[in-house]
Amino acid sequence: MFGYAGKILRVDLTSGTYKVEDLNLDLAKKYIGGRGLGSKIFFDEVDPNVEPFSPENKLIVATGPLSGTPVPTGGRYMVITKSPLTGAIACSNSGGYFGAELKAAGYDMIILEGKAEKPVYIAIEDDKIEIKEAGHLWGKLVSETTDELKKEHGEKVRVLCIGPAGEKLSRIAAVINDYDRAAGRSGVGAVMGSKNLKAIVVRGTKAVKLYDEEKVKDVVASKIKMLRENGVTGQGLPTYGTAVLVNIINEHGIFPVANFQRAYTENADYISGETMTRDILVRKNPCYRCPIACGRWVRLKDGKEVGGPEYETLWAFGADCDVYDINAVAEANFWCNEYGLDTISTGTTIAAAMELYEKGYVKDEEIKDDGYSLKFGDAEAIVGWTKKIGAREGFGDKMAEGSYRLCEAYGVPELSMSVKKQELPAYDPRGVQGHGLEYATSNRGGCHVRGYMISPEILGAPQKIDRFSLEGKAEWVKVFQDLTAVIDSLGLCLFTSFALGAPDYAELMNVVSGTDFTAETILEAGSRIWTLERVFNLKAGIDPSEDKLPKRLLEDPIPEGPSKGHVHRLSELLPKYYEVRGWDEKGYPKEETLEKLGIK
C-alpha cells in the first residue's frame, strides 16, 4: 500500500479499549483521505441529529495520503466531528508536525468514540497503544500539558491536546498541537473535552511507502520550484507570513473594522506583517516539510518567545476590535493558544460584545466585576477578555458560547457577523462578491478556507477577475471549493494552491500512491466530498435558508474607503451557484447529481 499507512485506530473511550482496523483502500481512493475519507466514515457512522456533546458523537483525527511524505507541506491533518457551534459537520485543519508523526506511527486516522469516565490521554508509539489517566493534566494550559507529556514520554513525541476552554466546553474551543498550531474552527476542542480526552501523544518511526520513489523526488523538486518562483508562496508569505495581507486587504477597502461597521482604516499598518517583522519577530516557524515557512515566532512585551499571530488573528483582535497595538494582539493570540481557543471566533466575539455595549445592550453592571471594558479600541481588554473566555469566568462565560448565541441572548442576533453561527473571517464580502458567495455556502459556516476566492479576486491567482462583478463567480466558487476539498483530503496546505493547480495535485497523488487521477477526476472527488458534507448538513436540519450573510452585509453599503457604496448581491448569485452544483432551485442536490458522484 502506497501513500496510505493502511491502518485505522478506533478507540472506545467508554470501555477504555481500542482496535486497529485495515483501511478500505477502495473507499479511501474514492474520497482521497483526510477530510474526504474522514467525512465519509463520519457520515456512515454518526446520526446527523446527534447532540454534539453526546458520547454518540464521534471525533475523527485524519491524515491524508500525502501526509508524512516528502511532498511539500505534507504535515496537515483534519479533525472531523459534529460542531457544537454550528450543528453542521465540522472539519478543522491544522499543520505543524503532529499529522506527519501519526502517519509515521502507522495510522491514517484515529476514530474516537464514547466518553471516558475520568480524564484520560492516549499514548501511541508505533504499534504500542495506551489509554492513560490524565487527572494530573486536567485544568492545565496547553504549554503545561505539552511540556508534562514530553517529560513523561520523551522530547521526540508530538502532542495534540486541549486547554481549559475545551474542558469547559466552550463552543469556540480549538484542538492545539505543537504548542501553537490549531485545528481552530467550529468548536472541535469542546467535543474532545466532552469525551474527557485531554491529549493524544504520538511517536512514529515508520516510513510511508511511495509508489515511485525516484519519480517522487523529481516531481517534488518541480513543485517546490513552482512554489519558490510564485510571488505569494516564494516571496510574500516567507517574508511577512500571512500578515502580509493586512495592508493589501485594507488597501482594497475590505478590511472589516469595529465588527464590520467599516471596512477600511488608516491604522492598519500598526498591525501589519511589515510591522510584526520589524518589531516583534524572532524567527520563522515552518510546519513539516514546508518551503513556504509562513509561521512566525515572536517576542511578547515580557520577553517570552511564543508562536506569533496569523493574518486572521491580527485582524480579529486588531481592526475588528478597533485595536492597533501589535503587542496586545500577539499576547491575546498567545492566550488563545494556551487556553485552546479559536482566535477568529474569540476576537470577533469580543468585537460583537463591544458593539453590544456600544449600542447599549450590555450594561456596565454586567461587566463591572470583570475588570475590563467593552469599549472599541481598548488594547488591554482584548487580552483580559481572552483569558475570561478561556476560563469561562464572568461575562467571559457568555462569550465562550460564540458571538451568535451572545447576540441572540440580547435579542439582536444580526449583530453577530457569522454564517451558520460561525464567525466570519477577515474579508468584507461587500467588496469581494465571489468570496461572499463562498461564505454563504460554506459547509462549515463562516469560513475563508473552504474556497479562497481572495486568490483570484484580490491576488490575481491563477488570474485576476473583477471582484465586484457577478459574472462567472458561481463557477469559480465551485471549482475553488472542490479543489480545497482535494487539498484538505491529500493532507497538504491550502497555500500551495497559489502556485499549484488540479493537474499538479493529481500528479503528486499518482506518483506517491499509484493512482490514476486526472485533473478532472480529482476535482470530481472534491465535488463528491463537498456534496456529501452538504447532504449531512441537510439531514442535520441545516436547510438552504442558512445559505445567507448577515443583514448588514446585504443591506448597509460600505461607508468609506476603496469599496465604498457596495453591498453583497447574494440573492443574484445563489440560484446560479445551485445550478452549477447540480442542485435544485431550492438548494437540494438532485438525485442524478448524487448518482453521478456515487453518493447514496
Side-chain angles (χ1 to χ4, degrees):
M1 189 172 289
F2 303 106
Y4 301 95
K7 299 292 181 183
I8 292 174
L9 174 61
R10 187 181 294 269
V11 180
D12 185 337
L13 293 164
T14 303
S15 63
T17 59
Y18 70 89
K19 59 182 177 179
V20 177
E21 302 171 354
D22 290 333
L23 178 72
N24 181 330
L25 189 57
D26 290 337
L27 192 66
K29 288 180 177 178
K30 186 175 179 180
Y31 286 90
I32 301 176
R35 170 180 162 190
L37 183 59
S39 296
K40 170 59 176 169
I41 290 174
F42 189 81
F43 181 92
D44 287 346
E45 296 187 3
V46 179
D47 181 349
N49 294 303
V50 72
E51 203 282 321
F53 292 143
S54 163
E56 282 69 48
N57 191 13
K58 299 186 183 185
L59 189 80
I60 297 177
V61 179
T63 67
L66 304 189
S67 301
T69 72
V71 175
T73 77
R76 312 298 295 189
Y77 74 92
M78 312 294 299
V79 180
I80 298 126
T81 189
K82 185 175 180 182
S83 167
L85 182 68
T86 65
I89 190 168
C91 188
S92 196
N93 186 312
S94 184
Y97 288 79
F98 181 86
E101 197 74 24
L102 180 61
K103 195 76 167 290
Y107 306 98
D108 292 299
M109 70 174 65
I110 306 171
I111 302 174
L112 300 157
E113 305 174 335
K115 177 182 180 178
E117 184 179 347
K118 295 178 180 178
V120 297
Y121 73 93
I122 299 168
I124 302 168
E125 186 177 346
D126 289 333
D127 300 330
K128 182 183 177 184
I129 315 291
E130 295 179 285
I131 303 172
K132 300 174 74 71
E133 191 272 332
H136 64 300
L137 300 171
W138 206 252
K140 288 187 180 294
L141 299 171
V142 164
S143 65
E144 295 169 340
T145 302
T146 304
D147 288 344
E148 180 63 30
L149 288 170
K150 282 179 172 285
K151 195 181 300 180
E152 293 178 26
H153 294 274
E155 278 299 315
K156 290 185 177 180
V157 300
R158 296 292 174 182
V159 178
L160 171 156
C161 66
I162 56 171
E167 296 172 7
K168 294 174 183 291
L169 308 187
S170 167
R171 294 180 194 271
I172 55 176
V175 169
I176 308 288
N177 60 280
D178 302 308
Y179 292 100
D180 75 321
R181 299 287 89 190
R185 309 232 65 195
S186 306
V188 295
V191 176
M192 190 164 159
S194 75
K195 296 186 174 301
N196 274 333
L197 179 61
K198 179 65 175 178
I200 303 174
V201 183
V202 177
R203 175 69 180 136
T205 60
K206 304 172 185 177
V208 179
K209 293 180 181 178
L210 308 175
Y211 175 69
D212 188 333
E213 289 194 34
E214 287 306 311
K215 197 166 184 181
V216 166
K217 291 178 185 177
D218 292 340
V219 173
V220 164
S222 71
K223 304 313 176 195
I224 290 175
K225 184 172 184 286
M226 291 170 70
L227 290 167
R228 287 180 171 156
E229 289 176 350
N230 178 270
V232 178
T233 54
Q235 298 170 33
L237 288 171
T239 305
Y240 297 114
T242 57
V244 68
L245 286 169
V246 170
N247 282 325
I248 294 170
I249 299 303
N250 186 59
E251 286 163 5
H252 282 83
I254 55 170
F255 195 54
V257 178
N259 200 35
F260 285 76
Q261 293 183 79
R262 304 190 302 281
Y264 174 80
T265 173
E266 294 183 353
N267 299 314
D269 191 52
Y270 290 114
I271 53 170
S272 69
E274 293 86 340
T275 298
M276 180 163 65
T277 301
R278 184 190 69 220
D279 293 351
I280 63 173
L281 182 68
V282 175
R283 57 178 169 83
K284 296 179 184 179
N285 184 30
C287 297
Y288 175 84
R289 285 192 178 269
C290 181
I292 303 170
C294 70
R296 308 286 99 171
W297 204 253
V298 300
R299 184 177 292 108
L300 301 180
K301 280 192 296 185
D302 63 4
K304 185 191 296 286
E305 295 180 0
V306 299
E310 301 284 356
Y311 164 70
E312 307 293 335
T313 310
L314 286 160
W315 161 77
F317 287 106
D320 205 38
C321 294
D322 219 6
V323 168
Y324 304 97
D325 181 336
I326 199 164
N327 292 292
V329 173
E331 189 175 353
N333 177 72
F334 166 71
W335 287 112
C336 279
N337 290 337
E338 287 286 69
Y339 279 99
L341 286 166
D342 171 18
T343 61
I344 298 175
S345 285
T346 302
T348 55
T349 297
I350 293 171
M354 287 175 166
E355 186 172 357
L356 286 171
Y357 179 81
E358 179 182 70
K359 288 184 162 48
Y361 294 103
V362 175
K363 309 297 184 185
D364 285 322
E365 54 265 27
E366 291 182 75
I367 58 173
K368 62 182 173 61
D369 295 331
D370 287 306
Y372 301 103
S373 85
L374 277 175
K375 294 179 180 177
F376 279 115
D378 189 332
E380 181 185 5
I382 62 170
V383 177
W385 285 120
T386 299
K387 296 179 187 177
K388 292 279 187 180
I389 292 168
R392 270 196 179 269
E393 291 178 354
F395 194 73
D397 184 45
K398 289 185 177 181
M399 287 197 275
E401 293 288 288
S403 70
Y404 185 87
R405 288 171 176 83
L406 174 69
C407 294
E408 185 181 45
Y410 289 92
V412 281
E414 65 272 16
L415 294 189
S416 167
M417 296 297 107
S418 59
V419 170
K420 301 179 178 75
K421 299 184 177 67
Q422 178 162 282
E423 289 75 17
L424 293 175
Y427 314 88
D428 193 314
R430 290 174 287 190
V432 267
Q433 295 295 320
H435 200 65
L437 176 62
E438 198 289 315
Y439 279 167
T441 58
S442 170
N443 285 333
R444 70 166 183 173
C447 177
H448 62 298
V449 288
R450 278 293 183 267
Y452 193 64
M453 284 295 292
I454 295 301
S455 190
E457 290 188 299
I458 299 295
L459 302 176
Q463 68 185 67
K464 190 69 182 289
I465 60 176
D466 185 344
R467 63 193 178 102
F468 297 117
S469 171
L470 306 189
E471 186 178 353
K473 291 297 172 69
E475 291 85 354
W476 274 94
V477 168
K478 179 187 183 297
V479 169
F480 266 65
Q481 288 173 337
D482 293 348
L483 183 63
T484 300
V486 169
I487 297 167
D488 287 345
S489 301
L490 290 171
L492 301 182
C493 176
L494 177 62
F495 291 167
T496 57
S497 65
F498 289 118
L500 308 181
D504 301 295
Y505 296 114
E507 184 181 18
L508 286 165
M509 178 65 175
N510 293 342
V511 297
V512 167
S513 301
T515 49
D516 57 357
F517 280 108
T518 63
E520 290 73 28
T521 59
I522 207 163
L523 281 174
E524 183 177 296
S527 183
R528 180 179 300 118
I529 294 160
W530 185 269
T531 305
L532 182 89
E533 293 168 339
R534 176 73 168 193
V535 173
F536 181 93
N537 288 349
L538 290 168
K539 288 177 177 289
I542 301 173
D543 67 44
S545 68
E546 294 299 310
D547 295 338
K548 61 184 180 181
L549 293 171
K551 183 180 177 182
R552 170 175 292 161
L553 307 180
L554 299 173
E555 298 181 4
D556 298 348
I558 291 177
E560 60 189 18
S563 296
K564 180 180 179 180
H566 287 276
V567 295
H568 195 272
R569 297 157 64 188
L570 181 63
S571 62
E572 298 173 63
L573 283 168
L574 265 183
K576 183 63 176 176
Y577 174 82
Y578 291 160
E579 180 186 333
V580 300
R581 275 262 170 233
W583 301 350
D584 66 25
E585 66 278 3
K586 293 181 179 179
Y588 292 86
K590 295 177 180 178
E591 255 338 291
E592 55 263 37
T593 300
L594 297 177
E595 288 177 16
K596 178 187 174 187
L597 295 172
I599 299 172
K600 295 182 181 178

